[in-house]
Amino acid sequence: MSSMSATAIASPNIAFIKYWGNRDNQLRLPLNGSISMNLDGLFTQTTVTFDPAFEMDTLTLNDQVADQQATSRVTHFLDLVRKLANTTLRANVISKNNFPTGVGIASSASAFAALSLAATAAIGLELSETELSRLARRGSGSACRSVPGGYVEWLAGQSDDDSYAVSIASPDHWALVDCIVIVQVEHKQIGSSQGHLLANTSPLQYARVEDAPRRIRLCKEAILHRDFETFATITELDSTLMHAVMMTSDPPLFYWSPATLEIMTNVTRWRKEKALPVCYTVDAGPNVHVICEEPVSETIREQLLQLPGVLQVLSAKPAGPARLCTTLDNHSLRKL
């Protein structure tokens, strides 16, 4: 038997209604559903090769041999694929991001979405979008949202079978832009997987989860009707609720930096005083996702670059689904 290989690309996503905390940590079943947007121009490109000659799984991340922890996580995930395909073949995985890793831009989401598609295609499985989303969730919860395209809802479900993501609107439904404000490029000390384990130690988590269906409904309606004011209000509220849970967990997690607060304060002021369609949301990291309508995106970007502590601003429109590609496009993997 010769080697079998496939390459896939997937975009990270930014959640407007957040995922934080699991009902089942092993299956990564979330305590509440969530809503997100895939980010065009940012992506993970992953090549998976299965070969009878391989004695163990190997992983290369951004041109560096991965550490044991990362490799073990990928091996555990590939075991799920091997079980589906009824094989014991080992694999070589080569993965690259064209954006900063581990700083709150959902690198694990794009990584496991791309890995899901590349690994199943390489081994000869043909999974539906729903099946791919369910599989990606097992590697990283938010990865299930990077499988479908555009604006996406993760249905929390009750079991492994019914917890997956679906597209609620195409990428061209609403011309939003995510201005990703980089204030720190160092890898965060506490990753999202560890953070999820702490969520239920916060006395605020129950209230956040109980109110989630209301926030999901309002956010989904706002997206479908392109109602920016409602969208901004509920998106900022949801972000603050998640970070309130983080800050009150045991031990507490403080992801915001002084620059994070400066950006958040200015964004809300621009919306209220200048009537600009702009709002913020922050994932598990100090960097801020500033969401605005496309006509004002360049103005917003220029204003963000003038704020103290801002290192860089990346701009991303809504992206399509995870996809297979025939050849490595090294040019497109240039660092942004």
Side-chain angles (χ1 to χ4, degrees):
M1 180 189 294
S2 60
S3 64
M4 301 177 290
S5 183
T7 299
I9 283 179
S11 297
N13 63 76
I14 178 60
F16 305 135
I17 304 299
K18 306 291 191 187
Y19 153 54
W20 196 252
N22 291 318
R23 221 173 40 252
D24 184 314
N25 288 316
Q26 183 178 3
L27 294 176
R28 297 184 194 270
L29 299 178
L31 283 165
N32 62 271
S34 53
I35 292 181
S36 64
M37 179 183 90
N38 286 356
L39 302 177
D40 193 36
L42 310 181
F43 55 83
T44 299
Q45 184 167 277
T46 300
T47 300
V48 177
T49 303
F50 288 96
D51 195 305
F54 296 159
E55 296 181 356
M56 64 182 69
D57 296 321
T58 54
L59 173 64
T60 302
L61 288 176
N62 296 319
D63 300 318
Q64 301 290 325
V65 176
D67 61 28
Q68 185 57 47
Q69 183 178 2
T71 304
S72 295
R73 187 175 177 183
V74 165
T75 289
H76 177 71
F77 183 80
L78 289 174
D79 285 342
L80 300 174
V81 177
R82 282 186 276 261
K83 185 176 180 180
L84 287 173
N86 192 28
T87 183
T88 58
L89 289 175
R90 296 290 159 175
N92 175 45
V93 178
I94 300 173
S95 189
K96 293 183 179 182
N97 297 326
N98 73 336
F99 59 93
T101 302
V103 292
I105 313 183
S107 55
S108 64
S110 55
F112 279 97
L115 179 60
S116 299
L117 184 52
T120 54
I123 207 69
L125 296 171
E126 294 185 10
L127 301 189
S128 67
E129 184 175 90
T130 294
E131 291 169 330
L132 273 174
S133 181
R134 287 176 51 230
L135 176 62
R137 189 200 73 236
R138 297 289 299 275
S140 172
S142 56
C144 74
R145 298 191 308 241
S146 283
V147 173
Y151 297 88
V152 172
E153 180 179 3
W154 178 4
L155 306 170
Q158 299 296 320
S159 68
D160 180 41
D161 291 336
D162 60 1
S163 184
Y164 56 88
V166 295
S167 177
I168 59 173
S170 64
D172 60 0
H173 167 73
W174 194 7
L176 294 185
V177 175
D178 182 3
C179 297
I180 306 162
V181 192
I182 309 296
V183 299
Q184 179 181 308
V185 294
E186 294 81 11
H187 205 287
K188 58 193 178 189
Q189 291 184 324
I190 304 295
S192 297
S193 292
Q194 294 169 274
H196 285 293
L197 300 177
L198 301 175
N200 286 339
T201 66
S202 167
L204 303 182
Q205 174 73 334
Y206 178 79
R208 189 194 73 86
V209 172
E210 280 295 295
D211 186 58
R214 181 188 72 90
R215 299 194 307 279
I216 289 172
R217 175 177 55 80
L218 289 173
C219 185
K220 187 174 179 178
E221 289 175 356
I223 289 171
L224 294 177
H225 295 102
R226 294 185 283 271
D227 174 0
F228 194 91
E229 189 57 41
T230 300
F231 170 80
T233 301
I234 208 67
T235 295
E236 289 183 352
L237 170 63
D238 193 87
S239 176
T240 304
L241 281 170
M242 182 181 74
H243 283 273
V245 168
M246 293 169 171
M247 293 176 190
T248 53
S249 65
D250 183 16
L253 300 175
F254 297 100
Y255 284 118
W256 293 350
S257 71
T260 307
L261 283 165
E262 181 80 15
I263 295 160
M264 291 160 58
T265 301
N266 277 278
V267 166
T268 53
R269 180 173 61 83
W270 295 340
R271 186 169 75 254
K272 292 172 181 175
E273 295 180 5
K274 300 182 180 182
L276 289 171
V278 61
C279 65
Y280 68 81
T281 186
V282 185
D283 275 351
N287 299 320
V288 185
H289 294 257
V290 176
I291 314 298
C292 61
E293 292 188 321
E294 188 175 13
V296 301
S297 61
E298 192 54 40
T299 297
I300 296 298
R301 184 176 181 277
E302 290 172 0
Q303 293 186 19
L304 289 168
L305 286 168
Q306 295 173 19
L307 297 178
V310 173
L311 304 176
Q312 188 181 11
V313 178
L314 309 177
S315 296
K317 299 176 183 179
R323 61 181 176 85
L324 290 170
C325 46
T326 53
T327 58
L328 286 171
D329 183 1
N330 292 319
H331 175 69
S332 65
L333 272 168
R334 66 188 184 279
K335 290 293 181 182
L336 293 175

Coordinates of all heavy atoms in Angstrom, one line a residue, residues 242-299:
M242 N -18.6 36.4 29.4 CA -17.6 35.4 29.4 C -16.4 35.7 30.2 O -15.9 34.9 31.0 CB -17.2 35.0 28.0 CG -16.2 33.8 27.9 SD -15.7 33.4 26.3 CE -14.6 34.7 25.9
H243 N -15.9 37.0 30.0 CA -14.7 37.4 30.8 C -15.0 37.6 32.2 O -14.1 37.4 33.1 CB -14.1 38.6 30.1 CG -13.3 38.3 28.9 ND1 -12.0 38.0 28.9 CD2 -13.7 38.3 27.6 CE1 -11.6 37.7 27.7 NE2 -12.7 37.9 26.8
A244 N -16.2 37.9 32.6 CA -16.6 38.0 34.0 C -16.5 36.6 34.6 O -16.1 36.4 35.8 CB -18.0 38.5 34.2
V245 N -16.9 35.6 33.9 CA -16.8 34.2 34.4 C -15.3 33.8 34.5 O -14.9 33.2 35.5 CB -17.5 33.2 33.4 CG1 -17.1 31.8 33.7 CG2 -19.0 33.4 33.5
M246 N -14.5 34.2 33.5 CA -13.1 33.9 33.6 C -12.4 34.5 34.8 O -11.7 33.9 35.5 CB -12.4 34.4 32.3 CG -12.8 33.7 31.1 SD -12.1 34.6 29.6 CE -12.4 33.4 28.3
M247 N -12.8 35.8 35.1 CA -12.2 36.5 36.2 C -12.6 36.1 37.5 O -11.9 36.3 38.5 CB -12.5 38.0 36.0 CG -11.9 38.7 34.8 SD -12.4 40.4 34.6 CE -11.7 40.8 33.0
T248 N -13.7 35.4 37.6 CA -14.3 34.9 38.9 C -14.2 33.4 39.0 O -14.8 32.8 39.9 CB -15.7 35.3 39.0 OG1 -16.5 34.9 37.9 CG2 -15.8 36.9 39.2
S249 N -13.4 32.7 38.1 CA -13.2 31.3 38.3 C -12.1 31.1 39.3 O -11.5 32.0 39.8 CB -12.8 30.7 36.9 OG -11.6 31.2 36.5
D250 N -11.8 29.8 39.6 CA -10.8 29.5 40.6 C -9.8 28.5 40.1 O -10.2 27.3 39.9 CB -11.5 28.9 41.9 CG -10.5 28.6 43.0 OD1 -9.4 29.1 43.0 OD2 -10.9 27.9 43.9
P251 N -8.6 28.9 39.7 CA -8.1 30.3 39.9 C -8.6 31.2 38.8 O -9.1 30.8 37.8 CB -6.6 30.1 39.7 CG -6.4 28.9 38.8 CD -7.6 28.0 39.2
P252 N -8.6 32.5 39.1 CA -9.1 33.5 38.1 C -8.2 33.6 36.9 O -7.0 33.4 36.9 CB -9.2 34.8 38.9 CG -8.1 34.6 39.9 CD -8.1 33.2 40.3
L253 N -8.9 33.9 35.7 CA -8.1 34.1 34.5 C -8.3 35.6 34.1 O -9.4 36.0 33.9 CB -8.7 33.2 33.4 CG -8.6 31.7 33.7 CD1 -9.3 30.9 32.5 CD2 -7.2 31.2 33.8
F254 N -7.2 36.3 33.9 CA -7.3 37.7 33.5 C -6.6 37.8 32.1 O -5.4 37.8 32.0 CB -6.6 38.6 34.5 CG -7.3 38.6 35.9 CD1 -6.7 37.9 36.9 CD2 -8.4 39.3 36.1 CE1 -7.3 37.8 38.2 CE2 -9.0 39.3 37.3 CZ -8.5 38.6 38.4
Y255 N -7.4 37.8 31.1 CA -6.8 37.9 29.7 C -6.7 39.3 29.2 O -5.9 39.6 28.4 CB -7.7 37.1 28.7 CG -7.6 35.6 28.8 CD1 -8.7 34.8 29.2 CD2 -6.4 35.0 28.5 CE1 -8.6 33.5 29.2 CE2 -6.3 33.6 28.6 CZ -7.4 32.8 28.9 OH -7.3 31.5 29.0
W256 N -7.5 40.3 29.8 CA -7.4 41.6 29.3 C -6.1 42.3 29.8 O -5.6 42.0 30.9 CB -8.5 42.5 29.9 CG -9.9 42.1 29.4 CD1 -10.2 41.3 28.4 CD2 -11.1 42.6 29.9 NE1 -11.5 41.2 28.2 CE2 -12.2 41.9 29.2 CE3 -11.5 43.4 31.0 CZ2 -13.5 42.2 29.4 CZ3 -12.8 43.6 31.2 CH2 -13.8 43.0 30.4
S257 N -5.5 43.1 28.9 CA -4.4 44.0 29.2 C -4.8 45.4 29.3 O -6.0 45.7 28.8 CB -3.3 43.8 28.2 OG -3.7 44.4 27.0
P258 N -4.0 46.4 29.7 CA -4.4 47.8 29.6 C -4.8 48.2 28.2 O -5.7 49.0 28.0 CB -3.1 48.5 30.1 CG -2.5 47.5 31.1 CD -2.7 46.2 30.5
A259 N -4.1 47.7 27.2 CA -4.4 48.0 25.8 C -5.8 47.5 25.4 O -6.5 48.1 24.7 CB -3.3 47.5 24.9
T260 N -6.1 46.3 25.9 CA -7.4 45.7 25.7 C -8.5 46.6 26.1 O -9.5 47.0 25.4 CB -7.6 44.3 26.4 OG1 -6.5 43.5 26.1 CG2 -8.9 43.7 26.0
L261 N -8.4 47.1 27.4 CA -9.4 48.0 27.9 C -9.5 49.4 27.2 O -10.6 49.9 27.0 CB -9.1 48.3 29.4 CG -9.5 47.2 30.4 CD1 -8.8 47.3 31.7 CD2 -11.0 47.1 30.5
E262 N -8.3 49.8 26.8 CA -8.3 51.1 26.0 C -9.1 51.0 24.7 O -9.8 51.9 24.3 CB -6.8 51.5 25.7 CG -6.6 52.8 24.9 CD -6.7 54.0 25.8 OE1 -6.7 53.9 27.1 OE2 -6.9 55.1 25.2
I263 N -8.9 49.9 24.0 CA -9.6 49.6 22.7 C -11.1 49.5 23.0 O -11.9 50.1 22.3 CB -9.0 48.4 22.1 CG1 -7.6 48.6 21.7 CG2 -9.9 48.0 20.8 CD1 -6.8 47.3 21.4
M264 N -11.5 48.7 24.0 CA -12.9 48.5 24.3 C -13.6 49.8 24.6 O -14.7 50.1 24.1 CB -13.1 47.5 25.4 CG -12.6 46.1 25.1 SD -12.3 45.1 26.6 CE -13.8 45.2 27.4
T265 N -12.9 50.6 25.4 CA -13.5 51.9 25.8 C -13.7 52.9 24.6 O -14.7 53.5 24.4 CB -12.6 52.6 26.8 OG1 -12.5 51.8 28.0 CG2 -13.2 54.0 27.3
N266 N -12.7 52.9 23.7 CA -12.8 53.8 22.6 C -13.8 53.3 21.6 O -14.5 54.1 21.0 CB -11.4 53.9 21.9 CG -10.5 54.9 22.6 OD1 -10.6 56.1 22.3 ND2 -9.7 54.5 23.5
V267 N -13.9 52.0 21.4 CA -14.9 51.5 20.4 C -16.3 51.8 20.8 O -17.1 52.3 20.0 CB -14.7 49.9 20.3 CG1 -15.9 49.3 19.6 CG2 -13.5 49.6 19.5
T268 N -16.6 51.7 22.1 CA -18.0 52.0 22.5 C -18.2 53.5 22.4 O -19.3 54.0 22.1 CB -18.3 51.6 24.0 OG1 -17.2 52.1 24.8 CG2 -18.3 50.0 24.1
R269 N -17.2 54.3 22.6 CA -17.3 55.8 22.5 C -17.5 56.1 21.1 O -18.4 57.0 20.8 CB -16.1 56.4 23.1 CG -16.1 58.0 23.0 CD -14.9 58.6 23.7 NE -13.7 58.2 23.1 CZ -13.1 58.7 22.0 NH1 -13.8 59.7 21.4 NH2 -12.0 58.3 21.5
W270 N -16.8 55.5 20.1 CA -17.0 55.8 18.7 C -18.4 55.5 18.3 O -19.0 56.2 17.5 CB -16.0 55.0 17.9 CG -14.6 55.4 18.1 CD1 -14.1 56.5 18.7 CD2 -13.4 54.5 17.8 NE1 -12.7 56.5 18.8 CE2 -12.3 55.3 18.2 CE3 -13.3 53.3 17.3 CZ2 -11.0 54.7 18.1 CZ3 -12.0 52.8 17.1 CH2 -10.9 53.5 17.6
R271 N -19.0 54.4 18.8 CA -20.3 54.0 18.4 C -21.4 55.0 18.9 O -22.3 55.4 18.2 CB -20.7 52.6 18.9 CG -22.0 52.1 18.3 CD -22.3 50.7 18.6 NE -22.6 50.3 19.9 CZ -21.8 49.7 20.8 NH1 -20.6 49.4 20.4 NH2 -22.2 49.4 22.0
K272 N -21.2 55.5 20.2 CA -22.2 56.4 20.8 C -22.0 57.8 20.4 O -23.0 58.5 20.1 CB -22.1 56.2 22.3 CG -22.5 54.8 22.8 CD -22.3 54.6 24.3 CE -22.7 53.2 24.7 NZ -22.4 52.9 26.1
E273 N -20.8 58.3 20.3 CA -20.5 59.7 20.1 C -20.4 60.0 18.6 O -20.8 61.1 18.2 CB -19.3 60.2 20.8 CG -19.4 60.1 22.3 CD -18.1 60.6 23.0 OE1 -17.2 61.0 22.3 OE2 -18.0 60.5 24.2
K274 N -19.9 59.1 17.8 CA -19.7 59.3 16.4 C -20.7 58.6 15.5 O -20.7 58.7 14.3 CB -18.3 59.0 15.9 CG -17.2 59.7 16.7 CD -15.8 59.3 16.2 CE -14.7 60.1 16.9 NZ -13.4 59.8 16.4
A275 N -21.6 57.8 16.1 CA -22.6 57.0 15.4 C -22.0 56.1 14.4 O -22.6 55.8 13.3 CB -23.6 58.0 14.8
L276 N -20.8 55.5 14.7 CA -20.2 54.6 13.8 C -20.7 53.2 14.1 O -20.8 52.8 15.3 CB -18.7 54.6 14.0 CG -18.0 55.9 13.4 CD1 -16.5 55.9 13.9 CD2 -18.1 55.9 11.9
P277 N -21.0 52.3 13.1 CA -21.4 51.0 13.3 C -20.2 50.1 13.6 O -19.6 49.4 12.8 CB -22.0 50.6 11.9 CG -21.3 51.4 10.9 CD -20.9 52.7 11.6
V278 N -19.8 50.1 14.9 CA -18.7 49.4 15.4 C -18.9 48.8 16.8 O -19.6 49.5 17.6 CB -17.4 50.3 15.3 CG1 -17.6 51.5 16.2 CG2 -16.1 49.5 15.7
C279 N -18.4 47.6 17.1 CA -18.5 47.1 18.4 C -17.2 46.2 18.6 O -16.4 46.0 17.7 CB -19.7 46.3 18.6 SG -19.9 44.8 17.6
Y280 N -17.1 45.6 19.8 CA -16.0 44.8 20.1 C -16.4 43.4 20.7 O -17.5 43.3 21.2 CB -15.0 45.5 21.1 CG -15.6 45.6 22.5 CD1 -15.6 44.5 23.4 CD2 -16.2 46.8 22.9 CE1 -16.2 44.6 24.7 CE2 -16.7 46.9 24.2 CZ -16.7 45.8 25.0 OH -17.3 45.9 26.3
T281 N -15.5 42.5 20.6 CA -15.6 41.2 21.3 C -14.2 40.7 21.5 O -13.3 40.9 20.7 CB -16.5 40.2 20.5 OG1 -16.7 39.0 21.3 CG2 -15.9 39.8 19.2
V282 N -14.0 40.0 22.6 CA -12.7 39.5 23.0 C -12.8 38.0 23.3 O -13.6 37.6 24.1 CB -12.1 40.3 24.2 CG1 -10.7 39.9 24.5 CG2 -12.2 41.8 24.0
D283 N -11.9 37.2 22.7 CA -11.9 35.8 22.9 C -10.9 35.6 24.1 O -10.6 36.5 24.8 CB -11.5 35.0 21.7 CG -12.7 34.7 20.8 OD1 -13.8 34.9 21.2 OD2 -12.4 34.2 19.7
A284 N -10.4 34.3 24.3 CA -9.5 34.0 25.4 C -8.1 34.5 25.1 O -7.2 33.7 24.8 CB -9.6 32.5 25.6
G285 N -7.9 35.8 25.2 CA -6.6 36.4 25.0 C -6.8 37.9 25.1 O -7.9 38.4 25.2
P286 N -5.7 38.7 25.0 CA -5.8 40.1 25.2 C -6.2 40.9 23.9 O -6.5 42.0 24.0 CB -4.4 40.5 25.6 CG -3.5 39.5 24.9 CD -4.3 38.2 24.9
N287 N -6.1 40.2 22.7 CA -6.3 40.9 21.5 C -7.8 41.1 21.3 O -8.7 40.3 21.8 CB -5.8 40.1 20.3 CG -4.2 40.0 20.4 OD1 -3.6 40.9 20.8 ND2 -3.7 38.8 20.1
V288 N -8.2 42.2 20.6 CA -9.6 42.6 20.5 C -10.1 42.4 19.1 O -9.4 42.9 18.1 CB -9.8 44.0 21.0 CG1 -11.3 44.4 21.0 CG2 -9.2 44.2 22.4
H289 N -11.3 41.9 18.9 CA -11.9 41.8 17.6 C -12.9 43.0 17.5 O -13.9 43.0 18.2 CB -12.6 40.5 17.4 CG -11.7 39.3 17.4 ND1 -11.4 38.6 16.2 CD2 -11.1 38.6 18.4 CE1 -10.6 37.6 16.5 NE2 -10.3 37.6 17.8
V290 N -12.6 43.9 16.6 CA -13.4 45.1 16.5 C -14.3 44.9 15.2 O -13.7 44.9 14.1 CB -12.6 46.4 16.4 CG1 -13.5 47.6 16.1 CG2 -11.8 46.6 17.7
I291 N -15.6 44.7 15.4 CA -16.5 44.3 14.3 C -17.1 45.6 13.8 O -17.7 46.4 14.6 CB -17.6 43.4 14.7 CG1 -16.9 42.2 15.6 CG2 -18.3 42.8 13.5 CD1 -16.0 41.3 14.8
C292 N -17.1 45.8 12.5 CA -17.7 47.0 11.9 C -18.3 46.7 10.6 O -18.0 45.6 10.0 CB -16.7 48.2 11.8 SG -15.3 47.9 10.8
E293 N -19.1 47.6 10.0 CA -19.6 47.4 8.7 C -18.5 47.9 7.7 O -17.8 48.8 8.0 CB -20.9 48.2 8.5 CG -22.1 47.6 9.3 CD -23.4 48.3 9.0 OE1 -23.5 49.5 8.8 OE2 -24.4 47.5 9.0
E294 N -18.5 47.2 6.5 CA -17.4 47.4 5.6 C -17.1 48.9 5.2 O -16.0 49.3 5.1 CB -17.6 46.6 4.4 CG -16.4 46.5 3.4 CD -16.6 45.6 2.3 OE1 -17.7 45.1 2.1 OE2 -15.6 45.3 1.6
P295 N -18.2 49.7 4.9 CA -17.9 51.1 4.5 C -17.0 51.9 5.5 O -16.4 52.8 5.0 CB -19.3 51.7 4.3 CG -20.2 50.5 4.0 CD -19.6 49.4 4.9
V296 N -17.1 51.6 6.8 CA -16.3 52.4 7.7 C -15.0 51.6 8.2 O -14.3 52.1 9.1 CB -17.1 52.7 9.0 CG1 -18.4 53.5 8.5 CG2 -17.6 51.5 9.8
S297 N -14.8 50.5 7.6 CA -13.7 49.6 8.1 C -12.3 50.3 8.1 O -11.5 50.1 9.0 CB -13.7 48.3 7.4 OG -13.4 48.4 6.0
E298 N -12.0 51.0 7.0 CA -10.7 51.6 6.9 C -10.6 52.8 7.9 O -9.5 53.0 8.5 CB -10.5 52.1 5.4 CG -9.0 52.6 5.2 CD -8.0 51.5 5.5 OE1 -8.3 50.3 5.2 OE2 -7.0 51.8 6.0
T299 N -11.6 53.5 8.1 CA -11.6 54.6 9.1 C -11.4 54.0 10.5 O -10.6 54.5 11.2 CB -13.0 55.3 9.1 OG1 -13.2 56.0 7.8 CG2 -13.0 56.4 10.2

